[in-house]
Amino acid sequence: MTLPWDEIITLNKVRQLQRTLYRKAKENGRWRAWSLYGDLCRRDVLATALAAVVGNAGSAGVDGVTTEQVKADSTAFLDALESELRSKSHRPSPVLRVWILKADGKQRPLRNQKGVMLYLLP
């Protein structure tokens, strides 16, 4: 599967999953997606999420790996991530905390999580 880096193209199966989750959550505010982990491990969901992250041109995380490095070897990255998720051995890295200066002189935190963001909710 080739990933579209210039634009995010959501596959029909991923879009259908997004809509189903959205509708269930809106229908019942107390509903919880207990079986979501299986959908998270799907290759099409991971590829769509990776395309969204790379398309956003984010900065490097705490490990120093940039989106350009991930983009260069996206197949190996997705293979490793999918394998870790399926074996339940994936451990996300700590959140990189950066402080952004506001107009009034104060600062606010900006958090950046390493890895693929979940692209399940529209």
Side-chain angles (χ1 to χ4, degrees):
M1 163 185 275
T2 352
L3 298 174
W5 303 117
D6 297 340
E7 61 183 77
I8 300 170
I9 298 174
T10 304
L11 303 174
N12 287 337
K13 288 179 80 174
V14 176
R15 177 62 66 198
Q16 183 180 4
L17 175 62
Q18 289 174 326
R19 287 183 180 148
T20 301
L21 292 172
Y22 175 80
R23 286 184 184 132
K24 290 292 272 182
K26 283 295 184 184
E27 181 181 300
N28 180 0
R30 298 180 59 96
W31 177 79
R32 297 293 177 257
W34 298 111
S35 63
L36 194 58
Y37 195 82
D39 292 318
L40 170 74
C41 297
R42 287 179 18 195
R43 182 59 171 240
D44 57 340
V45 172
L46 293 174
T48 303
L50 180 61
V53 171
V54 170
N56 193 26
S59 63
V62 294
D63 61 356
V65 178
T66 65
T67 54
E68 289 300 317
Q69 292 169 316
V70 171
K71 180 179 169 180
D73 199 10
S74 61
T75 304
F77 178 81
L78 285 174
D79 288 342
L81 181 61
E82 183 179 11
S83 173
E84 287 177 8
L85 288 172
R86 288 198 184 280
S87 67
K88 297 185 179 178
S89 64
H90 177 71
R91 297 289 174 250
S93 295
V95 175
L96 176 65
R97 186 172 237 185
V98 178
W99 292 92
I100 297 177
L101 190 60
K102 293 170 49 175
D104 62 2
K106 294 182 180 178
Q107 293 182 333
R108 72 171 182 87
L110 173 69
R111 294 171 183 90
N112 179 14
Q113 179 69 40
K114 173 200 163 217
V116 177
M117 72 174 196
L118 298 179
Y119 187 70
L120 294 176
L121 300 177

